[in-house]
Amino acid sequence: MPKGQPTAVPEDGLTTRQRRNRPLVCVHTGIGKGKSTAAFGMALRAWNQGWPIGVFQFVKSAKWKVGEENALRVLGASGEGGTVDWHKMGEGWSWIQRDADVSNEEKAREGWEQVKRDLAAETYKLYVLDEFAYPLHWGWVDVDEVIAVLRDRPGTQHVVITGRNAPEKLVEFADLVTDMTKVKHPMDAGQKGQRGIEW
Amino acid sequence: MPKGQPTAVPEDGLTTRQRRNRPLVCVHTGIGKGKSTAAFGMALRAWNQGWPIGVFQFVKSAKWKVGEENALRVLGASGEGGTVDWHKMGEGWSWIQRDADVSNEEKAREGWEQVKRDLAAETYKLYVLDEFAYPLHWGWVDVDEVIAVLRDRPGTQHVVITGRNAPEKLVEFADLVTDMTKVKHPMDAGQKGQRGIEW
């Protein structure tokens, strides 16, 4: 079971408290299940700490992950923990006023521009950039710029990025990287996705 | 991005609807982060479907995962989705009346006995058996019995089991298995666990 103990003490001149509160960049990648699911699970802990949470869903479908969205909306509105803002690329980011004929590539870049603005303003304490690895992998958003912006972000803002094929540079830069490795999946045996499990 | 399409159609004589509603046993194992976190993320989808959810936490510490617990309790009490019962081994399972000097091995077995009773009664639609892989790995609970009980469970009851070192027999039996593979963890660089991230 996790012990919460570091395996090495770095010679960085920081106190334990400073190291304890260091903001993290986490990446959930790999072809297995659980990348986004674990990111939304992290949001439960952040919510319990009373943190403002920003979810940016870099996916085409507006219906995708409606279960997680409804749950986090109810939590955010409960008045007991932190707040939750849920932004969806699939229905056109809410802060954009324009025609619908914008490419997914442009939408992805618009999403990243908003993340940059929120990081600069320290709007949230946890950012879930769901499926953001895809626009990075495809070159729609420049990974070098993303790393530079994340490296220089002010305050204590944690960022989790999900999606297959996270660029190697991002993996090298991130603090915590988990590869969700598929051992077995019911679709391999002909099982279709089902309500309550896949969505 | 996931397409929800099976890669093969089995010759099992079942209709698509029958296959769609087949109950699953999921295992999240491996040494990386996200095993339990993804299981609690799955609970968000189940909650959104209005399902009764039973969490059985097979860990020693009663304080562990308090963020997820608080969030799921608020969701369960919100009246909008499903219900959530959260059972903790760490403070002595709530259904047991007895002295505190019971070994963890006995507690783990008592937890499994309650899971068996609930499966027989179809109490829940999703069971999160958190860290249950440990008592199986250590031989405290017999893996052959667990597999037999899960195989014969009535109705449509989904079960997710988390923890390192899931026994090979369980992996073979399960429908969906993900190995959370550690690529990089901040504790390797001397970072301590921090509030809102680790708990």
Side-chain angles (χ1 to χ4, degrees):
Chain A
M1 291 180 209
K3 295 207 198 68
Q5 289 300 320
T7 54
V9 176
E11 297 177 7
D12 54 10
L14 296 177
T15 65
T16 295
R17 175 177 291 272
Q18 284 169 322
R19 274 200 298 273
R20 195 177 275 283
N21 294 318
R22 211 185 292 174
L24 298 180
V25 172
C26 307
V27 172
H28 297 171
T29 191
I31 66 166
K33 298 280 292 179
K35 298 182 288 294
S36 299
T37 316
F40 295 120
M42 287 177 69
L44 300 183
R45 290 198 284 272
W47 171 85
N48 189 55
Q49 292 297 331
W51 294 358
I53 300 163
V55 177
F56 294 80
Q57 243 192 317
F58 287 83
V59 293
K60 282 182 274 189
S61 165
K63 302 266 182 194
W64 198 246
K65 288 160 194 167
V66 68
E68 292 89 330
E69 182 184 351
N70 286 347
L72 284 170
R73 281 192 197 282
V74 166
L75 286 173
S78 70
E80 293 200 36
T83 57
V84 180
D85 290 339
W86 191 289
H87 307 291
K88 284 192 275 197
M89 193 180 99
E91 39 189 47
W93 304 107
S94 60
W95 62 85
I96 307 282
Q97 292 273 340
R98 50 147 171 60
D99 297 323
D101 59 347
V102 171
S103 70
N104 286 322
E105 184 170 345
E106 289 171 279
K107 285 185 193 169
R109 274 201 293 269
E110 284 173 356
W112 168 242
E113 291 299 322
Q114 183 62 38
V115 172
K116 281 201 290 187
R117 288 189 288 268
D118 283 326
L119 285 168
E122 300 188 44
T123 309
Y124 305 111
K125 274 203 81 166
L126 176 69
Y127 296 72
V128 178
L129 307 188
D130 189 41
E131 310 284 13
F132 189 47
Y134 293 94
L136 291 174
H137 175 66
W138 295 325
W140 291 358
V141 176
D142 182 57
V143 68
D144 292 318
E145 187 200 329
V146 169
I147 290 170
V149 167
L150 292 177
R151 178 172 284 131
D152 297 337
R153 72 196 188 281
T156 304
Q157 302 182 88
H158 303 284
V159 179
V160 53
I161 295 171
T162 77
R164 292 190 191 190
N165 298 316
E168 189 53 36
K169 281 181 181 176
L170 179 67
V171 167
E172 283 170 25
F173 167 72
D175 303 291
L176 190 157
V177 181
T178 303
D179 185 288
M180 273 60 174
T181 306
K182 182 175 81 165
V183 177
K184 189 191 284 186
H185 193 287
M187 286 183 196
D188 299 338
Q191 170 76 48
K192 289 190 174 242
Q194 54 188 322
R195 183 189 305 273
I197 297 293
E198 303 282 338
W199 68 87
Chain B
M1 291 180 211
K3 294 208 197 68
Q5 290 300 317
T7 54
V9 175
E11 296 177 8
D12 54 10
L14 296 177
T15 65
T16 294
R17 174 177 294 270
Q18 284 169 322
R19 275 200 298 274
R20 194 177 276 283
N21 293 318
R22 211 185 293 174
L24 298 180
V25 172
C26 307
V27 173
H28 297 171
T29 191
I31 66 165
K33 298 281 292 179
K35 297 182 287 293
S36 298
T37 317
F40 295 120
M42 288 177 69
L44 301 183
R45 291 199 283 272
W47 171 85
N48 190 54
Q49 293 297 330
W51 294 358
I53 299 162
V55 177
F56 294 79
Q57 244 191 315
F58 286 83
V59 292
K60 279 181 275 187
S61 165
K63 302 264 182 196
W64 199 247
K65 285 159 196 169
V66 67
E68 293 88 330
E69 181 185 351
N70 286 347
L72 284 169
R73 281 193 196 280
V74 166
L75 287 173
S78 70
E80 293 199 37
T83 57
V84 180
D85 289 339
W86 192 289
H87 307 290
K88 284 192 276 198
M89 193 179 99
E91 40 189 49
W93 304 107
S94 61
W95 61 87
I96 307 283
Q97 293 273 341
R98 51 146 170 60
D99 297 321
D101 59 346
V102 171
S103 71
N104 287 323
E105 184 169 346
E106 288 170 278
K107 285 186 193 168
R109 273 202 294 269
E110 284 173 357
W112 168 242
E113 290 301 320
Q114 183 62 38
V115 171
K116 280 202 288 186
R117 288 189 288 269
D118 283 326
L119 285 168
E122 300 188 45
T123 308
Y124 305 111
K125 274 204 81 167
L126 176 69
Y127 295 73
V128 178
L129 308 188
D130 189 41
E131 311 283 14
F132 188 49
Y134 293 94
L136 291 174
H137 174 66
W138 295 326
W140 292 357
V141 177
D142 182 57
V143 68
D144 291 320
E145 187 201 328
V146 169
I147 290 171
V149 167
L150 291 177
R151 177 174 284 131
D152 296 338
R153 72 194 187 282
T156 304
Q157 302 183 87
H158 304 284
V159 179
V160 53
I161 296 170
T162 77
R164 293 190 190 190
N165 298 315
E168 188 53 37
K169 280 181 181 177
L170 179 68
V171 167
E172 280 169 28
F173 168 72
D175 302 292
L176 190 156
V177 181
T178 303
D179 185 287
M180 274 58 174
T181 306
K182 184 174 80 165
V183 177
K184 189 190 285 186
H185 193 288
M187 287 185 197
D188 298 339
Q191 169 76 49
K192 288 188 174 246
Q194 54 188 320
R195 184 189 303 275
I197 297 293
E198 302 284 337
W199 67 86

